[in-house]
Short mmCIF file of all heavy atoms in Angstrom, two decimals:
data_model
loop_
_atom_site.label_atom_id
_atom_site.label_comp_id
_atom_site.label_asym_id
_atom_site.label_seq_id
_atom_site.Cartn_x
_atom_site.Cartn_y
_atom_site.Cartn_z
N ASP Z 1 -126.06 -47.47 -125.98
CA ASP Z 1 -125.81 -46.14 -125.49
C ASP Z 1 -126.84 -45.13 -125.79
O ASP Z 1 -127.10 -44.12 -124.97
CB ASP Z 1 -124.42 -45.60 -126.14
CG ASP Z 1 -123.11 -46.53 -125.48
OD1 ASP Z 1 -123.35 -47.06 -124.45
OD2 ASP Z 1 -122.14 -46.43 -126.06
N ASN Z 2 -127.27 -45.09 -127.03
CA ASN Z 2 -128.32 -44.01 -127.43
C ASN Z 2 -129.63 -44.20 -126.62
O ASN Z 2 -130.13 -43.20 -126.38
CB ASN Z 2 -128.62 -44.18 -128.99
CG ASN Z 2 -127.45 -43.70 -129.80
OD1 ASN Z 2 -126.49 -43.04 -129.26
ND2 ASN Z 2 -127.46 -43.98 -131.12
N GLN Z 3 -129.95 -45.39 -126.32
CA GLN Z 3 -131.23 -45.61 -125.50
C GLN Z 3 -130.92 -45.02 -124.17
O GLN Z 3 -131.78 -44.31 -123.65
CB GLN Z 3 -131.49 -47.05 -125.43
CG GLN Z 3 -132.13 -47.70 -126.64
CD GLN Z 3 -132.37 -49.14 -126.45
OE1 GLN Z 3 -131.88 -49.90 -125.59
NE2 GLN Z 3 -133.23 -49.76 -127.34
N PHE Z 4 -129.77 -45.27 -123.62
CA PHE Z 4 -129.47 -44.72 -122.34
C PHE Z 4 -129.50 -43.16 -122.29
O PHE Z 4 -130.12 -42.59 -121.44
CB PHE Z 4 -128.08 -45.22 -121.85
CG PHE Z 4 -127.61 -44.63 -120.48
CD1 PHE Z 4 -128.20 -45.15 -119.29
CD2 PHE Z 4 -126.74 -43.59 -120.64
CE1 PHE Z 4 -127.76 -44.58 -118.17
CE2 PHE Z 4 -126.32 -43.11 -119.27
CZ PHE Z 4 -126.85 -43.54 -118.08
N ALA Z 5 -128.87 -42.59 -123.33
CA ALA Z 5 -128.76 -41.18 -123.46
C ALA Z 5 -130.21 -40.50 -123.67
O ALA Z 5 -130.48 -39.49 -123.03
CB ALA Z 5 -128.00 -40.75 -124.71
N ALA Z 6 -131.10 -41.21 -124.41
CA ALA Z 6 -132.52 -40.71 -124.55
C ALA Z 6 -133.24 -40.78 -123.33
O ALA Z 6 -133.90 -39.84 -122.88
CB ALA Z 6 -133.18 -41.47 -125.62
N LEU Z 7 -133.03 -41.90 -122.49
CA LEU Z 7 -133.74 -42.02 -121.13
C LEU Z 7 -133.22 -41.02 -120.16
O LEU Z 7 -133.95 -40.64 -119.42
CB LEU Z 7 -133.56 -43.54 -120.77
CG LEU Z 7 -134.28 -44.52 -121.50
CD1 LEU Z 7 -133.95 -46.05 -121.11
CD2 LEU Z 7 -135.88 -44.26 -121.34
N VAL Z 8 -131.98 -40.72 -120.29
CA VAL Z 8 -131.41 -39.77 -119.31
C VAL Z 8 -131.96 -38.40 -119.57
O VAL Z 8 -132.39 -37.72 -118.65
CB VAL Z 8 -129.84 -39.82 -119.39
CG1 VAL Z 8 -129.28 -38.57 -118.63
CG2 VAL Z 8 -129.23 -41.05 -118.64
N SER Z 9 -132.01 -38.06 -120.94
CA SER Z 9 -132.55 -36.78 -121.28
C SER Z 9 -134.07 -36.62 -120.88
O SER Z 9 -134.55 -35.58 -120.18
CB SER Z 9 -132.45 -36.65 -122.77
OG SER Z 9 -133.16 -35.42 -123.18
N PHE Z 10 -134.78 -37.71 -121.06
CA PHE Z 10 -136.18 -37.70 -120.61
C PHE Z 10 -136.37 -37.55 -119.12
O PHE Z 10 -137.04 -36.77 -118.68
CB PHE Z 10 -136.69 -39.09 -121.06
CG PHE Z 10 -138.20 -39.26 -120.81
CD1 PHE Z 10 -139.26 -38.64 -121.59
CD2 PHE Z 10 -138.63 -39.91 -119.69
CE1 PHE Z 10 -140.48 -38.75 -121.26
CE2 PHE Z 10 -139.97 -40.00 -119.37
CZ PHE Z 10 -141.01 -39.49 -120.18
N ALA Z 11 -135.53 -38.37 -118.39
CA ALA Z 11 -135.55 -38.24 -116.97
C ALA Z 11 -135.29 -36.94 -116.37
O ALA Z 11 -135.81 -36.36 -115.39
CB ALA Z 11 -134.76 -39.39 -116.33
N TYR Z 12 -134.24 -36.36 -117.05
CA TYR Z 12 -133.80 -35.01 -116.63
C TYR Z 12 -134.92 -33.99 -116.74
O TYR Z 12 -135.10 -33.08 -115.92
CB TYR Z 12 -132.63 -34.54 -117.46
CG TYR Z 12 -132.10 -33.21 -117.12
CD1 TYR Z 12 -131.27 -32.94 -116.02
CD2 TYR Z 12 -132.44 -32.18 -117.89
CE1 TYR Z 12 -130.79 -31.59 -115.77
CE2 TYR Z 12 -131.94 -30.84 -117.58
CZ TYR Z 12 -131.18 -30.60 -116.46
OH TYR Z 12 -130.70 -29.27 -116.13
N ASN Z 13 -135.71 -34.18 -117.93
CA ASN Z 13 -136.71 -33.21 -118.18
C ASN Z 13 -138.15 -33.41 -117.39
O ASN Z 13 -138.92 -32.42 -117.11
CB ASN Z 13 -136.95 -33.04 -119.75
CG ASN Z 13 -135.88 -32.41 -120.37
OD1 ASN Z 13 -135.87 -31.07 -120.36
ND2 ASN Z 13 -134.86 -33.12 -120.78
N VAL Z 14 -138.50 -34.66 -117.23
CA VAL Z 14 -139.77 -34.91 -116.61
C VAL Z 14 -139.62 -35.41 -115.19
O VAL Z 14 -140.58 -35.43 -114.37
CB VAL Z 14 -140.65 -35.89 -117.45
CG1 VAL Z 14 -140.88 -35.34 -118.78
CG2 VAL Z 14 -139.97 -37.36 -117.44
N GLY Z 15 -138.45 -35.76 -114.74
CA GLY Z 15 -138.20 -36.19 -113.34
C GLY Z 15 -138.08 -37.80 -113.40
O GLY Z 15 -138.66 -38.52 -114.12
N GLU Z 16 -137.30 -38.20 -112.43
CA GLU Z 16 -136.99 -39.63 -112.25
C GLU Z 16 -138.27 -40.37 -111.79
O GLU Z 16 -138.42 -41.49 -112.31
CB GLU Z 16 -135.89 -39.86 -111.12
CG GLU Z 16 -134.46 -39.45 -111.65
CD GLU Z 16 -133.37 -39.61 -110.54
OE1 GLU Z 16 -133.49 -40.70 -109.89
OE2 GLU Z 16 -132.68 -38.64 -110.44
N ALA Z 17 -139.08 -39.87 -111.02
CA ALA Z 17 -140.27 -40.44 -110.54
C ALA Z 17 -141.23 -40.68 -111.75
O ALA Z 17 -141.83 -41.85 -111.90
CB ALA Z 17 -140.96 -39.68 -109.48
N ALA Z 18 -141.35 -39.73 -112.52
CA ALA Z 18 -142.24 -39.84 -113.78
C ALA Z 18 -141.69 -41.02 -114.64
O ALA Z 18 -142.53 -41.95 -115.14
CB ALA Z 18 -142.29 -38.53 -114.57
N LEU Z 19 -140.39 -41.12 -114.87
CA LEU Z 19 -139.79 -42.15 -115.70
C LEU Z 19 -140.01 -43.43 -115.02
O LEU Z 19 -140.48 -44.50 -115.64
CB LEU Z 19 -138.38 -41.96 -115.94
CG LEU Z 19 -137.66 -43.09 -116.61
CD1 LEU Z 19 -138.17 -43.31 -118.01
CD2 LEU Z 19 -136.11 -42.81 -116.68
N ALA Z 20 -139.78 -43.59 -113.73
CA ALA Z 20 -139.88 -44.89 -112.92
C ALA Z 20 -141.26 -45.45 -113.03
O ALA Z 20 -141.49 -46.67 -112.99
CB ALA Z 20 -139.54 -44.69 -111.50
N ASN Z 21 -142.36 -44.58 -113.08
CA ASN Z 21 -143.69 -45.05 -113.07
C ASN Z 21 -144.30 -45.07 -114.56
O ASN Z 21 -145.50 -45.25 -114.66
CB ASN Z 21 -144.54 -44.10 -112.26
CG ASN Z 21 -144.12 -44.22 -110.80
OD1 ASN Z 21 -143.85 -45.33 -110.27
ND2 ASN Z 21 -143.86 -43.05 -110.14
N SER Z 22 -143.47 -44.94 -115.49
CA SER Z 22 -144.03 -44.70 -116.86
C SER Z 22 -144.12 -45.98 -117.73
O SER Z 22 -143.44 -47.05 -117.34
CB SER Z 22 -143.12 -43.83 -117.62
OG SER Z 22 -141.69 -44.47 -117.94
N THR Z 23 -145.05 -46.03 -118.67
CA THR Z 23 -145.21 -47.11 -119.63
C THR Z 23 -143.92 -47.23 -120.51
O THR Z 23 -143.48 -48.29 -120.82
CB THR Z 23 -146.35 -47.00 -120.51
OG1 THR Z 23 -147.46 -46.88 -119.66
CG2 THR Z 23 -146.56 -48.18 -121.46
N LEU Z 24 -143.28 -46.09 -120.70
CA LEU Z 24 -142.06 -46.07 -121.50
C LEU Z 24 -140.99 -47.04 -120.88
O LEU Z 24 -140.37 -47.89 -121.59
CB LEU Z 24 -141.61 -44.64 -121.51
CG LEU Z 24 -140.35 -44.36 -122.39
CD1 LEU Z 24 -140.24 -42.83 -122.63
CD2 LEU Z 24 -139.10 -44.80 -121.90
N LEU Z 25 -140.90 -46.75 -119.52
CA LEU Z 25 -139.76 -47.69 -118.88
C LEU Z 25 -140.23 -49.13 -118.76
O LEU Z 25 -139.36 -49.99 -118.93
CB LEU Z 25 -139.51 -47.11 -117.52
CG LEU Z 25 -138.23 -47.90 -116.82
CD1 LEU Z 25 -137.01 -47.58 -117.59
CD2 LEU Z 25 -138.15 -47.24 -115.37
N ARG Z 26 -141.48 -49.38 -118.58
CA ARG Z 26 -141.95 -50.84 -118.60
C ARG Z 26 -141.70 -51.51 -119.95
O ARG Z 26 -141.28 -52.68 -120.02
CB ARG Z 26 -143.46 -50.75 -118.38
CG ARG Z 26 -143.66 -50.73 -116.82
CD ARG Z 26 -145.17 -51.21 -116.39
NE ARG Z 26 -146.16 -50.27 -117.08
CZ ARG Z 26 -146.59 -49.10 -116.51
NH1 ARG Z 26 -146.15 -48.76 -115.42
NH2 ARG Z 26 -147.46 -48.48 -117.18
N GLU Z 27 -142.04 -50.77 -120.96
CA GLU Z 27 -141.73 -51.37 -122.40
C GLU Z 27 -140.29 -51.58 -122.70
O GLU Z 27 -139.89 -52.57 -123.22
CB GLU Z 27 -142.43 -50.44 -123.43
CG GLU Z 27 -143.93 -50.32 -123.43
CD GLU Z 27 -144.59 -51.61 -123.69
OE1 GLU Z 27 -144.36 -52.21 -124.69
OE2 GLU Z 27 -145.30 -52.14 -122.74
N HIS Z 28 -139.45 -50.57 -122.18
CA HIS Z 28 -138.06 -50.71 -122.31
C HIS Z 28 -137.53 -51.91 -121.58
O HIS Z 28 -136.87 -52.76 -122.21
CB HIS Z 28 -137.35 -49.49 -121.80
CG HIS Z 28 -135.88 -49.52 -121.87
ND1 HIS Z 28 -135.12 -49.56 -122.90
CD2 HIS Z 28 -134.98 -49.81 -120.80
CE1 HIS Z 28 -133.81 -49.64 -122.60
NE2 HIS Z 28 -133.72 -49.85 -121.26
N LYS Z 29 -137.94 -52.08 -120.30
CA LYS Z 29 -137.52 -53.21 -119.55
C LYS Z 29 -137.93 -54.57 -120.13
O LYS Z 29 -137.31 -55.52 -119.93
CB LYS Z 29 -137.96 -52.99 -118.08
CG LYS Z 29 -137.13 -52.01 -117.35
CD LYS Z 29 -137.61 -52.06 -115.93
CE LYS Z 29 -136.80 -51.01 -115.12
NZ LYS Z 29 -137.24 -50.97 -113.69
N ALA Z 30 -139.11 -54.54 -120.89
CA ALA Z 30 -139.65 -55.71 -121.38
C ALA Z 30 -139.02 -56.09 -122.67
O ALA Z 30 -139.39 -57.09 -123.37
CB ALA Z 30 -141.13 -55.66 -121.60
N GLY Z 31 -138.11 -55.23 -123.29
CA GLY Z 31 -137.55 -55.37 -124.56
C GLY Z 31 -138.44 -55.09 -125.71
O GLY Z 31 -138.04 -55.33 -126.82
N ARG Z 32 -139.51 -54.37 -125.48
CA ARG Z 32 -140.25 -53.80 -126.59
C ARG Z 32 -139.86 -52.48 -126.83
O ARG Z 32 -140.63 -51.46 -126.61
CB ARG Z 32 -141.82 -53.86 -126.12
CG ARG Z 32 -142.23 -55.31 -125.93
CD ARG Z 32 -143.75 -55.41 -125.62
NE ARG Z 32 -144.07 -54.92 -124.26
CZ ARG Z 32 -144.17 -55.64 -123.14
NH1 ARG Z 32 -143.93 -56.96 -123.27
NH2 ARG Z 32 -144.52 -55.04 -121.91
N PHE Z 33 -138.70 -52.31 -127.62
CA PHE Z 33 -138.11 -51.07 -127.95
C PHE Z 33 -138.91 -50.23 -128.88
O PHE Z 33 -138.88 -48.91 -128.72
CB PHE Z 33 -136.71 -51.22 -128.42
CG PHE Z 33 -135.87 -52.14 -127.39
CD1 PHE Z 33 -135.28 -53.31 -127.72
CD2 PHE Z 33 -135.67 -51.71 -126.11
CE1 PHE Z 33 -134.54 -54.01 -126.88
CE2 PHE Z 33 -135.00 -52.32 -125.09
CZ PHE Z 33 -134.36 -53.61 -125.57
N ASP Z 34 -139.47 -50.74 -129.83
CA ASP Z 34 -140.43 -49.95 -130.71
C ASP Z 34 -141.59 -49.21 -129.97
O ASP Z 34 -141.84 -48.05 -130.17
CB ASP Z 34 -140.94 -50.80 -131.79
CG ASP Z 34 -139.88 -51.19 -132.89
OD1 ASP Z 34 -138.74 -50.54 -132.88
OD2 ASP Z 34 -140.06 -52.02 -133.62
N SER Z 35 -142.20 -50.16 -129.09
CA SER Z 35 -143.24 -49.48 -128.29
C SER Z 35 -142.79 -48.46 -127.25
O SER Z 35 -143.40 -47.52 -127.08
CB SER Z 35 -144.00 -50.73 -127.56
OG SER Z 35 -144.90 -50.12 -126.79
N ALA Z 36 -141.56 -48.74 -126.81
CA ALA Z 36 -140.98 -47.80 -125.83
C ALA Z 36 -140.71 -46.49 -126.61
O ALA Z 36 -140.94 -45.41 -126.05
CB ALA Z 36 -139.70 -48.34 -125.20
N ALA Z 37 -140.19 -46.51 -127.76
CA ALA Z 37 -139.79 -45.26 -128.49
C ALA Z 37 -141.13 -44.53 -128.79
O ALA Z 37 -141.09 -43.28 -128.66
CB ALA Z 37 -139.17 -45.63 -129.91
N ALA Z 38 -142.21 -45.19 -129.00
CA ALA Z 38 -143.38 -44.48 -129.24
C ALA Z 38 -144.00 -43.80 -128.01
O ALA Z 38 -144.66 -42.74 -128.09
CB ALA Z 38 -144.53 -45.48 -129.82
N GLN Z 39 -143.59 -44.29 -126.83
CA GLN Z 39 -144.07 -43.70 -125.59
C GLN Z 39 -143.59 -42.27 -125.38
O GLN Z 39 -144.22 -41.53 -124.77
CB GLN Z 39 -143.66 -44.55 -124.41
CG GLN Z 39 -144.58 -45.90 -124.38
CD GLN Z 39 -146.01 -45.66 -124.24
OE1 GLN Z 39 -146.42 -44.88 -123.32
NE2 GLN Z 39 -146.81 -46.23 -125.02
N PHE Z 40 -142.31 -42.01 -125.92
CA PHE Z 40 -141.83 -40.59 -125.70
C PHE Z 40 -142.94 -39.52 -126.23
O PHE Z 40 -142.86 -38.53 -125.52
CB PHE Z 40 -140.49 -40.45 -126.50
CG PHE Z 40 -139.27 -41.13 -125.81
CD1 PHE Z 40 -138.88 -42.43 -126.25
CD2 PHE Z 40 -138.44 -40.47 -124.95
CE1 PHE Z 40 -137.87 -43.03 -125.70
CE2 PHE Z 40 -137.42 -40.94 -124.35
CZ PHE Z 40 -137.08 -42.25 -124.82
N LEU Z 41 -143.48 -39.74 -127.27
CA LEU Z 41 -144.32 -38.81 -127.94
C LEU Z 41 -145.66 -38.48 -127.10
O LEU Z 41 -146.32 -37.51 -127.37
CB LEU Z 41 -144.75 -39.35 -129.34
CG LEU Z 41 -143.53 -39.58 -130.08
CD1 LEU Z 41 -144.04 -40.06 -131.54
CD2 LEU Z 41 -142.61 -38.39 -130.33
N ARG Z 42 -145.93 -39.34 -126.10
CA ARG Z 42 -147.14 -39.14 -125.23
C ARG Z 42 -146.72 -38.00 -124.20
O ARG Z 42 -147.64 -37.54 -123.61
CB ARG Z 42 -147.49 -40.43 -124.50
CG ARG Z 42 -147.92 -41.48 -125.46
CD ARG Z 42 -148.36 -42.70 -124.71
NE ARG Z 42 -149.56 -42.47 -123.93
CZ ARG Z 42 -149.87 -43.02 -122.80
NH1 ARG Z 42 -149.09 -43.94 -122.36
NH2 ARG Z 42 -151.01 -42.63 -122.13
N TRP Z 43 -145.47 -37.73 -124.05
CA TRP Z 43 -145.02 -36.72 -123.00
C TRP Z 43 -144.89 -35.35 -123.55
O TRP Z 43 -143.74 -34.64 -123.23
CB TRP Z 43 -143.86 -37.30 -122.24
CG TRP Z 43 -144.07 -38.43 -121.53
CD1 TRP Z 43 -144.21 -39.75 -122.06
CD2 TRP Z 43 -144.47 -38.52 -120.09
NE1 TRP Z 43 -144.46 -40.62 -120.91
CE2 TRP Z 43 -144.50 -39.87 -119.77
CE3 TRP Z 43 -144.33 -37.62 -119.05
CZ2 TRP Z 43 -144.81 -40.39 -118.44
CZ3 TRP Z 43 -144.54 -38.06 -117.86
CH2 TRP Z 43 -144.71 -39.34 -117.49
N ASN Z 44 -145.72 -34.88 -124.42
CA ASN Z 44 -145.51 -33.51 -125.10
C ASN Z 44 -146.55 -32.44 -124.52
O ASN Z 44 -146.69 -31.41 -125.30
CB ASN Z 44 -145.65 -33.79 -126.57
CG ASN Z 44 -147.16 -33.99 -126.98
OD1 ASN Z 44 -147.98 -34.50 -126.24
ND2 ASN Z 44 -147.40 -33.68 -128.30
N LYS Z 45 -147.10 -32.66 -123.53
CA LYS Z 45 -148.17 -31.77 -123.05
C LYS Z 45 -147.63 -30.95 -121.72
O LYS Z 45 -146.94 -31.40 -120.90
CB LYS Z 45 -149.47 -32.48 -122.73
CG LYS Z 45 -149.99 -33.11 -124.08
CD LYS Z 45 -151.12 -34.08 -123.69
CE LYS Z 45 -151.61 -34.86 -124.98
NZ LYS Z 45 -150.63 -35.72 -125.43
N ALA Z 46 -148.35 -29.81 -121.54
CA ALA Z 46 -148.14 -28.87 -120.42
C ALA Z 46 -149.43 -28.47 -120.08
O ALA Z 46 -150.31 -28.17 -121.03
CB ALA Z 46 -147.09 -27.94 -120.70
N LYS Z 47 -149.59 -28.08 -118.77
CA LYS Z 47 -150.90 -27.39 -118.38
C LYS Z 47 -150.85 -25.91 -118.74
O LYS Z 47 -149.99 -25.16 -118.54
CB LYS Z 47 -151.07 -27.40 -116.79
CG LYS Z 47 -151.62 -28.74 -116.38
CD LYS Z 47 -152.02 -28.76 -114.89
CE LYS Z 47 -152.57 -30.04 -114.53
NZ LYS Z 47 -153.02 -30.12 -113.12
N VAL Z 48 -152.01 -25.61 -119.41
CA VAL Z 48 -152.25 -24.10 -119.80
C VAL Z 48 -153.66 -23.84 -119.26
O VAL Z 48 -154.54 -24.36 -119.62
CB VAL Z 48 -152.10 -23.92 -121.30
CG1 VAL Z 48 -152.44 -22.41 -121.72
CG2 VAL Z 48 -150.69 -24.24 -121.81
N ARG Z 49 -153.62 -22.88 -118.44
CA ARG Z 49 -155.02 -22.55 -117.73
C ARG Z 49 -155.65 -23.77 -117.14
O ARG Z 49 -156.90 -23.79 -117.28
CB ARG Z 49 -155.88 -21.77 -118.74
CG ARG Z 49 -155.25 -20.44 -119.10
CD ARG Z 49 -156.22 -19.70 -119.90
NE ARG Z 49 -155.53 -18.59 -120.63
CZ ARG Z 49 -155.31 -18.50 -121.87
NH1 ARG Z 49 -155.65 -19.42 -122.74
NH2 ARG Z 49 -154.59 -17.52 -122.36
N GLY Z 50 -154.87 -24.78 -116.71
CA GLY Z 50 -155.37 -25.97 -116.02
C GLY Z 50 -155.77 -27.10 -116.90
O GLY Z 50 -156.34 -28.00 -116.55
N VAL Z 51 -155.49 -26.82 -118.22
CA VAL Z 51 -155.81 -27.91 -119.31
C VAL Z 51 -154.46 -28.43 -119.88
O VAL Z 51 -153.62 -27.56 -120.18
CB VAL Z 51 -156.80 -27.32 -120.26
CG1 VAL Z 51 -157.13 -28.31 -121.32
CG2 VAL Z 51 -158.03 -26.83 -119.67
N LEU Z 52 -154.32 -29.62 -120.04
CA LEU Z 52 -153.18 -30.28 -120.59
C LEU Z 52 -153.35 -30.06 -122.22
O LEU Z 52 -154.35 -30.46 -122.73
CB LEU Z 52 -152.99 -31.77 -120.46
CG LEU Z 52 -152.44 -32.17 -119.06
CD1 LEU Z 52 -152.46 -33.62 -118.91
CD2 LEU Z 52 -151.04 -31.55 -118.80
N VAL Z 53 -152.36 -29.42 -122.73
CA VAL Z 53 -152.24 -29.09 -124.18
C VAL Z 53 -150.94 -29.41 -124.78
O VAL Z 53 -149.98 -29.28 -124.06
CB VAL Z 53 -152.61 -27.60 -124.60
CG1 VAL Z 53 -154.16 -27.31 -124.20
CG2 VAL Z 53 -151.62 -26.74 -123.92
N PRO Z 54 -150.90 -29.99 -126.03
CA PRO Z 54 -149.60 -30.18 -126.67
C PRO Z 54 -148.74 -28.95 -126.84
O PRO Z 54 -149.47 -27.89 -127.15
CB PRO Z 54 -150.01 -30.85 -128.04
CG PRO Z 54 -151.39 -31.27 -127.93
CD PRO Z 54 -152.02 -30.44 -126.87
N VAL Z 55 -147.46 -29.01 -126.63
CA VAL Z 55 -146.59 -27.82 -126.74
C VAL Z 55 -145.61 -28.14 -127.88
O VAL Z 55 -144.99 -29.25 -127.90
CB VAL Z 55 -145.94 -27.55 -125.36
CG1 VAL Z 55 -144.87 -26.45 -125.54
CG2 VAL Z 55 -146.92 -27.39 -124.37
N LYS Z 56 -145.42 -27.33 -128.78
CA LYS Z 56 -144.57 -27.48 -129.98
C LYS Z 56 -143.12 -27.88 -129.50
O LYS Z 56 -142.49 -28.88 -130.08
CB LYS Z 56 -144.50 -26.34 -130.94
CG LYS Z 56 -145.65 -26.08 -131.73
CD LYS Z 56 -145.52 -24.97 -132.65
CE LYS Z 56 -146.87 -24.79 -133.47
NZ LYS Z 56 -146.59 -23.50 -134.41
N GLY Z 57 -142.60 -27.16 -128.59
CA GLY Z 57 -141.17 -27.37 -128.05
C GLY Z 57 -141.07 -28.67 -127.43
O GLY Z 57 -140.00 -29.42 -127.64
N LEU Z 58 -142.03 -29.02 -126.63
CA LEU Z 58 -142.04 -30.47 -126.10
C LEU Z 58 -142.16 -31.62 -127.06
O LEU Z 58 -141.54 -32.61 -126.95
CB LEU Z 58 -143.21 -30.62 -124.90
CG LEU Z 58 -142.88 -29.89 -123.67
CD1 LEU Z 58 -144.00 -30.07 -122.72
CD2 LEU Z 58 -141.59 -30.34 -123.00
N THR Z 59 -143.02 -31.38 -128.13
CA THR Z 59 -143.23 -32.24 -129.19
C THR Z 59 -141.85 -32.47 -129.91
O THR Z 59 -141.43 -33.62 -130.21
CB THR Z 59 -144.33 -31.86 -130.10
OG1 THR Z 59 -145.46 -31.79 -129.44
CG2 THR Z 59 -144.43 -32.83 -131.31
N ARG Z 60 -141.10 -31.45 -130.17
CA ARG Z 60 -139.80 -31.61 -130.90
C ARG Z 60 -138.87 -32.23 -130.03
O ARG Z 60 -138.06 -33.08 -130.48
CB ARG Z 60 -139.26 -30.21 -131.21
CG ARG Z 60 -139.93 -29.46 -132.45
CD ARG Z 60 -139.22 -28.36 -132.94
NE ARG Z 60 -139.12 -27.22 -131.92
CZ ARG Z 60 -139.93 -26.16 -131.78
NH1 ARG Z 60 -141.03 -26.16 -132.45
NH2 ARG Z 60 -139.77 -25.29 -130.87
N ARG Z 61 -138.85 -31.89 -128.73
CA ARG Z 61 -137.85 -32.62 -127.77
C ARG Z 61 -138.19 -34.13 -127.72
O ARG Z 61 -137.35 -34.88 -127.80
CB ARG Z 61 -137.99 -31.94 -126.40
CG ARG Z 61 -136.98 -32.75 -125.34
CD ARG Z 61 -137.25 -32.26 -124.08
NE ARG Z 61 -136.78 -30.83 -123.97
CZ ARG Z 61 -135.57 -30.33 -123.72
NH1 ARG Z 61 -134.64 -31.25 -123.57
NH2 ARG Z 61 -135.29 -29.11 -123.48
N ARG Z 62 -139.35 -34.54 -127.52
CA ARG Z 62 -139.71 -35.89 -127.50
C ARG Z 62 -139.52 -36.68 -128.82
O ARG Z 62 -139.10 -37.77 -128.82
CB ARG Z 62 -141.27 -36.03 -127.06
CG ARG Z 62 -141.53 -35.55 -125.81
CD ARG Z 62 -140.79 -36.16 -124.60
NE ARG Z 62 -140.91 -35.28 -123.46
CZ ARG Z 62 -139.93 -34.70 -122.83
NH1 ARG Z 62 -138.76 -34.75 -123.15
NH2 ARG Z 62 -140.26 -33.88 -121.73
N GLU Z 63 -139.78 -35.96 -129.93
CA GLU Z 63 -139.46 -36.57 -131.27
C GLU Z 63 -137.84 -36.79 -131.34
O GLU Z 63 -137.47 -37.93 -131.81
CB GLU Z 63 -139.93 -35.67 -132.37
CG GLU Z 63 -141.33 -35.68 -132.62
CD GLU Z 63 -141.86 -34.55 -133.59
OE1 GLU Z 63 -141.19 -33.80 -134.01
OE2 GLU Z 63 -143.08 -34.82 -133.92
N ALA Z 64 -137.21 -35.84 -130.90
CA ALA Z 64 -135.66 -36.07 -130.92
C ALA Z 64 -135.22 -37.33 -130.00
O ALA Z 64 -134.33 -37.99 -130.33
CB ALA Z 64 -134.89 -34.85 -130.63
N GLU Z 65 -135.76 -37.25 -128.73
CA GLU Z 65 -135.40 -38.28 -127.79
C GLU Z 65 -135.83 -39.75 -128.50
O GLU Z 65 -135.05 -40.68 -128.32
CB GLU Z 65 -136.12 -38.05 -126.54
CG GLU Z 65 -135.54 -36.88 -125.78
CD GLU Z 65 -136.29 -36.56 -124.56
OE1 GLU Z 65 -137.56 -36.76 -124.38
OE2 GLU Z 65 -135.79 -35.78 -123.70
N ALA Z 66 -137.13 -39.80 -128.95
CA ALA Z 66 -137.47 -41.02 -129.59
C ALA Z 66 -136.47 -41.43 -130.72
O ALA Z 66 -136.30 -42.62 -130.86
CB ALA Z 66 -138.94 -40.85 -130.12
N LEU Z 67 -136.09 -40.51 -131.50
CA LEU Z 67 -135.24 -40.81 -132.67
C LEU Z 67 -133.93 -41.18 -132.18
O LEU Z 67 -133.32 -42.20 -132.62
CB LEU Z 67 -135.01 -39.68 -133.57
CG LEU Z 67 -134.24 -39.68 -134.82
CD1 LEU Z 67 -134.94 -40.64 -135.71
CD2 LEU Z 67 -134.12 -38.31 -135.46
N LEU Z 68 -133.33 -40.55 -131.19
CA LEU Z 68 -132.13 -41.03 -130.54
C LEU Z 68 -132.30 -42.45 -129.87
O LEU Z 68 -131.39 -43.30 -130.12
CB LEU Z 68 -131.65 -40.08 -129.45
CG LEU Z 68 -130.38 -40.39 -128.59
CD1 LEU Z 68 -129.24 -40.48 -129.51
CD2 LEU Z 68 -130.27 -39.42 -127.46
N TYR Z 69 -133.35 -42.69 -129.11
CA TYR Z 69 -133.60 -44.04 -128.58
C TYR Z 69 -133.58 -45.09 -129.58
O TYR Z 69 -133.00 -46.23 -129.37
CB TYR Z 69 -134.92 -43.93 -127.81
CG TYR Z 69 -135.36 -45.22 -127.13
CD1 TYR Z 69 -134.89 -45.39 -125.82
CD2 TYR Z 69 -135.95 -46.20 -127.85
CE1 TYR Z 69 -135.19 -46.58 -125.17
CE2 TYR Z 69 -136.33 -47.38 -127.11
CZ TYR Z 69 -135.88 -47.61 -125.85
OH TYR Z 69 -136.32 -48.75 -125.17
N GLY Z 70 -134.13 -44.76 -130.77
CA GLY Z 70 -134.22 -45.88 -131.85
C GLY Z 70 -133.06 -45.97 -132.84
O GLY Z 70 -132.95 -46.95 -133.50
N SER Z 71 -132.08 -45.05 -132.69
CA SER Z 71 -131.02 -45.13 -133.49
C SER Z 71 -129.91 -46.05 -133.00
O SER Z 71 -129.74 -46.33 -131.75
CB SER Z 71 -130.48 -43.74 -133.70
OG SER Z 71 -129.89 -43.23 -132.55
N ARG Z 72 -129.12 -46.56 -133.84
CA ARG Z 72 -128.01 -47.37 -133.52
C ARG Z 72 -126.77 -46.70 -133.52
O ARG Z 72 -126.43 -45.83 -134.32
CB ARG Z 72 -127.92 -48.55 -134.45
CG ARG Z 72 -129.10 -49.41 -134.58
CD ARG Z 72 -129.28 -50.40 -133.36
NE ARG Z 72 -130.35 -51.22 -133.52
CZ ARG Z 72 -131.38 -51.35 -132.69
NH1 ARG Z 72 -131.21 -50.59 -131.67
NH2 ARG Z 72 -132.26 -52.17 -132.99
N ALA Z 73 -125.89 -46.83 -132.48
CA ALA Z 73 -124.61 -46.10 -132.48
C ALA Z 73 -123.56 -46.64 -133.34
O ALA Z 73 -123.66 -47.82 -133.79
CB ALA Z 73 -124.14 -46.10 -131.04
#
């Protein structure tokens, strides 16, 4: 349930197409859950003046999603 909730949160924020084409989803489907959890943290950047930079708010959100994804209900 927690994995599903984390993936739904992620998809809501980055879009279904981004999730569908992501390494995160490939790792999840392959059963490599630790690797999938680590992939959340790669999605913490936004364009600022045309350059991708880490954003504190996105970093916190992705850390929370990764933590939820890895937790047991």
